[in-house]
Amino acid sequence: MSDRIQSVSILGSTGSIGVNTLDVIRRHPERYNVFALTGHSQVELLAQQCREFQPEYVVISEPRHEEVLKALLGGLNTEILSGSSALEMIASHQDVDIVMAAIVGAAGLLPNLAAAKAGKKVLLANKESLVMSGQLFMNTIEDSGATLLPIDSEHNAIYQCLPNGQMSSELGVDKVLLTASGGPFRNFSLESLHNVTPAQAVAHPNWSMGQKISVDSASLMNKGLEFIEACWLFNCDADQVEVVVHPESVIHSMVSYVDGSVLAQMGNPDMRTPIAYGLAWPDRLASGVKPLDLFEVAQLNFEKPDTTRFPCLALAKQSFKDGGCAPAILNAANEIAVAAFLTDKLSFLGISQVVEGTLNGVENHSSESLENILYADKKARDYASSLIQRMNGK
């Protein structure tokens, strides 16, 4: 364990991951200090975080909120910045040791790449970076010597269960078993899924998450994105990753070995566990999470995912197999579709229809350059938006 206090930039500090990261840091002031915080629109919460942790910089992604934040932080020696270039600056700054990459969606790609290029210890809680630019992102990590640690509970569990965090047939690894809670509609019939509401979709049975990721969990798109992320993180083929529905969310994922062994990482469903693991790695530290009581859990259940009722999972798997910019197209279409669903402009089942239609309607190109990826992202967003308008008779 290093005696030096490490500086942390938290990209997306007002979201669920950011709030939990600050809770872990709050417990260990002797080990970490906050260099920078960033937020999107929750200005009052961001200001409150700044007053407590007094970072060098705070970045608000919406410039129109900058004056409000300035008024709230009167007298504080924290420099206020806005815009995407500021995000990249605080992610790659020479005084930063650790970057918590927790901005939701495609907006996290450029600052996460900046952190990777700068050789930081990157705690990746933004799966879209690997979904959109998997090969490019992993090449950047390797070329710069950065450390990449997965924070999604499932990938963090897999990392802990793999030898040296690596998929290796030489060390007897067979495949990874990626668990899914199944979301709030696990037992809904296909007919009843036609009428589910945004309020129902964001009410996750086990985890406290933001609206977008909660909807993704309900549609199993989140598991599809995690499937793609796992393939890139652990250098897996598509047939080496199996999704297992596990409603209790106690086993966070597993790794199967050729000798018949299956190693599982277990714990209460609390994101502070993988966050603490990432911050302290290769050490461990107290996270504030209640120890798992197996007598209270009593039993664990497992089932296969149903891709008839939840086609987003199959669409994500196929996009990875198709390669190129297909995963970026999938992600962009899903972001547009989820936003439409949350504002009552699209049905729940319409999400997968928009994603599939966009995958079929937007030409797939090579993903070797960032320009190609960003172009595919824009084309997919435009196509998905027009498709939703047509579905609404406009």
Side-chain angles (χ1 to χ4, degrees), residues 3 28 35 43 60 145 149 171 191 243 284 323 336 343 381 388 391:
D3 292 330
H28 299 280
F35 178 81
V43 184
I60 186 81
L149 294 166
L171 296 174
E191 293 73 24
V243 174
R284 290 186 185 261
I336 294 296
T343 53
R381 289 173 191 277
I388 291 168
M391 291 168 70

Side-chain angles (χ1 to χ4, degrees), residues 278-342:
L279 283 170
W281 183 89
D283 305 321
R284 290 186 185 261
L285 50 74
S287 65
V289 177
K290 176 185 174 184
L292 181 66
D293 185 339
L294 290 173
F295 299 108
E296 184 179 322
V297 173
Q299 66 179 29
L300 303 172
N301 295 283
F302 307 94
E303 58 193 61
K304 290 185 177 181
D306 184 341
T307 53
T308 300
R309 288 182 297 143
F310 303 102
C312 285
L313 177 58
L315 291 170
K317 287 183 178 181
Q318 188 58 50
S319 77
F320 177 76
K321 292 178 182 178
D322 291 342
C325 287
I329 294 168
L330 169 107
N331 178 71
N334 180 64
E335 287 192 15
I336 294 296
V338 169
F341 168 69
L342 285 169

Side-chain angles (χ1 to χ4, degrees), residues 141-361:
I141 291 288
E142 185 176 356
D143 292 344
S144 70
T147 299
L148 180 63
L149 294 166
I151 298 302
D152 275 346
S153 61
E154 296 83 356
H155 302 92
N156 189 270
I158 294 165
Y159 188 92
Q160 293 190 49
C161 293
L162 283 171
N164 303 316
Q166 298 295 319
M167 191 83 177
S168 171
S169 58
E170 294 178 2
L171 296 174
V173 179
D174 180 31
K175 62 181 177 181
V176 299
L177 303 171
L178 189 66
T179 60
S181 70
F185 307 139
R186 181 173 62 90
N187 295 318
F188 279 40
S189 68
L190 185 59
E191 293 73 24
S192 60
L193 287 174
H194 282 279
N195 301 314
V196 299
T197 66
Q200 290 174 296
V202 300
H204 195 281
N206 300 332
W207 296 93
S208 174
M209 305 181 294
Q211 286 192 323
K212 196 268 180 182
I213 194 173
S214 295
V215 175
D216 283 350
S217 180
S219 70
L220 288 195
M221 178 59 88
N222 190 51
K223 206 51 51 179
L225 299 177
E226 289 179 359
F227 176 94
I228 297 170
E229 184 183 7
C231 290
W232 286 116
L233 276 170
F234 306 115
N235 194 26
C236 296
D237 294 330
D239 59 2
Q240 290 178 296
V241 181
E242 182 178 352
V243 174
V244 179
V245 175
H246 167 50
E248 292 81 11
S249 297
V250 168
I251 293 179
H252 299 303
S253 275
M254 298 168 273
V255 173
S256 173
Y257 288 80
V258 294
D259 63 0
S261 299
V262 177
L263 300 188
Q265 189 267 340
M266 304 172 68
N268 283 313
D270 190 316
M271 285 306 299
R272 289 176 297 175
T273 296
I275 288 167
Y277 181 86
L279 283 170
W281 183 89
D283 305 321
R284 290 186 185 261
L285 50 74
S287 65
V289 177
K290 176 185 174 184
L292 181 66
D293 185 339
L294 290 173
F295 299 108
E296 184 179 322
V297 173
Q299 66 179 29
L300 303 172
N301 295 283
F302 307 94
E303 58 193 61
K304 290 185 177 181
D306 184 341
T307 53
T308 300
R309 288 182 297 143
F310 303 102
C312 285
L313 177 58
L315 291 170
K317 287 183 178 181
Q318 188 58 50
S319 77
F320 177 76
K321 292 178 182 178
D322 291 342
C325 287
I329 294 168
L330 169 107
N331 178 71
N334 180 64
E335 287 192 15
I336 294 296
V338 169
F341 168 69
L342 285 169
T343 53
D344 293 315
K345 296 173 184 173
L346 187 68
S347 70
F348 181 74
L349 292 179
I351 295 172
S352 61
Q353 294 169 8
V354 169
V355 172
E356 184 173 15
T358 306
L359 283 167
N360 292 332

Side-chain angles (χ1 to χ4, degrees), residues 329 332 358 362-363 374-385:
I329 294 168
T358 306
V362 176
E363 187 176 357
L374 295 177
Y375 177 78
D377 176 81
K378 183 181 185 307
K379 293 291 287 186
R381 289 173 191 277
D382 291 345
Y383 191 95
S385 296

Side-chain angles (χ1 to χ4, degrees), residues 8-14 18-19 21-22 25 33-40 45-61 69 73 76 78-82 86-87 90-91 96 100 103:
V8 186
S9 281
I10 303 176
L11 309 181
S13 65
T14 57
V19 168
T21 301
L22 288 173
I25 289 174
N33 76 316
V34 176
F35 178 81
L37 298 172
T38 85
H40 179 60
L45 175 56
L46 187 59
Q48 179 184 324
Q49 292 173 342
C50 288
R51 286 193 294 270
E52 178 179 358
F53 292 95
Q54 300 191 22
E56 296 286 326
Y57 296 96
V58 59
V59 179
I60 186 81
S61 59
L69 184 59
L73 294 182
L76 200 66
T78 294
E79 186 172 348
I80 302 170
L81 304 171
S82 65
L87 289 173
I90 60 99
V96 172
M100 172 56 78
I103 293 174

